[in-house]
């Protein structure tokens, strides 16, 4: 006898999607008029289909659509009866603006930001710390322009999309994202940022822009970065100097300096602070900041937090499908990236709600293997074996 297609309970994917309020999706659709030309594929069905592909790590639309076909009978729990056709999904990825998925991500972030944020970071007394970095996702240059000269052998030049992200150090997720061709310089991302007074922002030296630093200083926005090796500066005052100490660790030198740039034809001098620091492994780092009040050791601790965004990029690239794209247009690529960010945010929320000790990678792997299983997600993530035994307790019959 065939098993009835009307299952009880909700599959894990459906429970994950319940963290996205339907009203939020509806308001995003109205804002961008996203359902006007897509009667066969409403925004919610489009979003759910792509999130299925993200969580199941599908490397292409064919895998995604055929995987959903195998879930026939369970799709009703996801809000639709039949899996979308590959051609329909491909057309929507190309034509439905990625901005609606960006809006969904930003609204979800507003909803859960307070819940997922920690009140403090170890060793830091500041309240508002943002981290900036970028990660390049390679693809052939016929989609987004690559860097460098055309290949002499006639082969296609590899380009890529550069994902610039501003991460909140207290929540562990990206707050602001912009995607550009890989050849666009990192510094242009800084012009898009709007930061409140007394914010701290940390980034690598690739983002150094003295004109932007001057603007932040006037607005009382503080930054910490590394100084370029070829930077030209003038020392105004030495606040401390421990360089004569043999094999000294920690802060070696703290200086007030000025650097110059041109505003039109007029030269401008900017006052900064230069901190030389030797780490435990013996490497020497030179930091610059426009904050003259915090201690030099705090400057080094703030910059050390920059590794958090490196771990975030690694977490996203290793656990979600970004090696292959589900479309050959910029819009399709950006849509897929925003769906990955939505999935990562949902996993952070679920991990905190379940209070699990599992690593992020272990948690996402367990969810991927049981995506359409009917088990209560919170207990399943907290103690997978116990939750699975509860719903699969064998009934032994007497011979």
């Amino acid at each position: 006898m065939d098993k009835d297609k009307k299952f009880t309970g909700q599959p894990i994917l459906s429970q994950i999607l319940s963290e996205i309020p339907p009203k939020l999706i509806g308001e995003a659709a109205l804002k961008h008029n996203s359902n006007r030309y897509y009667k066969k594929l409403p925004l919610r069905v489009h979003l759910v289909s792509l999130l299925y592909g993200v969580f199941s790590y599908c490397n292409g639309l064919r895998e995604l659509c055929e995987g959903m076909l195998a879930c026939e009978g369970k799709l009703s729990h996801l809000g639709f009866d039949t899996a979308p056709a590959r051609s329909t999904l491909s057309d929507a990825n190309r034509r439905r603006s990625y901005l609606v998925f960006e809006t969904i991500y930003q609204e979800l972030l507003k909803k859960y930001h307070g819940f997922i944020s920690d009140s403090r970071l170890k060793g830091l007394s500041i309240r508002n710390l943002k981290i900036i970095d970028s990660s390049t996702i390679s693809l052939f240059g016929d989609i987004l322009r690559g860097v460098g000269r055309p290949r002499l052998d006639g082969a296609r030049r590899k380009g890529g999309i550069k994902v610039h992200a501003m991460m909140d150090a207290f929540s562990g997720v990206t707050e602001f994202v912009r995607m550009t061709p890989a050849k666009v310089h990192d510094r242009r991302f800084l012009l898009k940022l709007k930061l409140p007074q007394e914010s701290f922002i940390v980034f690598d030296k690739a983002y150094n822009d003295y004109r932007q630093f001057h603007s932040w200083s006037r607005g009382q926005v503080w930054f910490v970065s590394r100084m370029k090796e070829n930077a030209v500066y003038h020392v105004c005052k030495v606040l401390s100097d421990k360089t004569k100490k043999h094999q000294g660790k920690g802060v070696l030198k703290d200086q007030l300096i000025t650097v110059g740039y041109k505003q039109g034809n007029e030269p401008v001098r900017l006052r900064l602070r230069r901190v030389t620091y030797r780490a435990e492994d013996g490497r020497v780092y030179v930091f610059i900041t426009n904050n003259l009040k915090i201690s030099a050791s705090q400057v080094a601790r703030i910059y050390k937090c920059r590794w958090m965004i490196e771990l975030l990029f690694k977490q996203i690239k290793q656990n979600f499908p970004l090696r292959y794209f589900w479309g050959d247009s910029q819009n399709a690529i950006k849509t897929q990236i925003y769906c990955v960010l939505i999935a990562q945010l949902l996993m952070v929320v679920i991990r905190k709600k379940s209070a699990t000790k599992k690593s992020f990678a272990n948690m996402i792997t367990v969810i991927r293997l049981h995506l359409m299983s009917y088990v209560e997600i919170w207990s399943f993530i907290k103690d997978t074996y116990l939750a699975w035994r509860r719903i699969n307790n064998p009934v032994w019959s007497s011979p």
Side-chain angles (χ1 to χ4, degrees), residues 10-21 44 48 51-52 54-56 77-78 108 112 320 342-351 353 363-364 366-368 370-373 375-378 380-381:
Q10 297 286 331
I12 281 182
L13 178 59
S14 181
Q15 296 174 64
I16 294 172
L17 295 173
S18 68
E19 299 299 318
I20 307 177
R44 187 184 183 280
V48 170
L51 287 179
Y52 169 85
V54 169
F55 285 117
S56 56
H77 292 301
L78 304 179
L108 280 174
Y112 290 114
F320 298 109
I342 291 170
Q344 191 266 344
L345 174 57
L346 292 175
M347 287 298 94
V348 170
V349 171
I350 288 171
R351 187 165 184 248
K353 280 189 175 183
M363 183 188 72
I364 191 66
V366 169
I367 285 176
R368 181 177 298 122
H370 298 275
L371 198 58
M372 300 305 289
S373 299
V375 57
E376 198 269 323
I377 189 171
W378 312 115
F380 185 69
I381 292 175

Side-chain angles (χ1 to χ4, degrees), residues 311-325:
L311 293 180
L312 176 64
F313 283 137
K314 183 178 179 181
Q315 181 187 91
I316 290 173
K317 285 187 171 182
Q318 288 185 348
N319 294 290
F320 298 109
L322 284 176
R323 293 177 59 197
Y324 303 97
F325 290 102

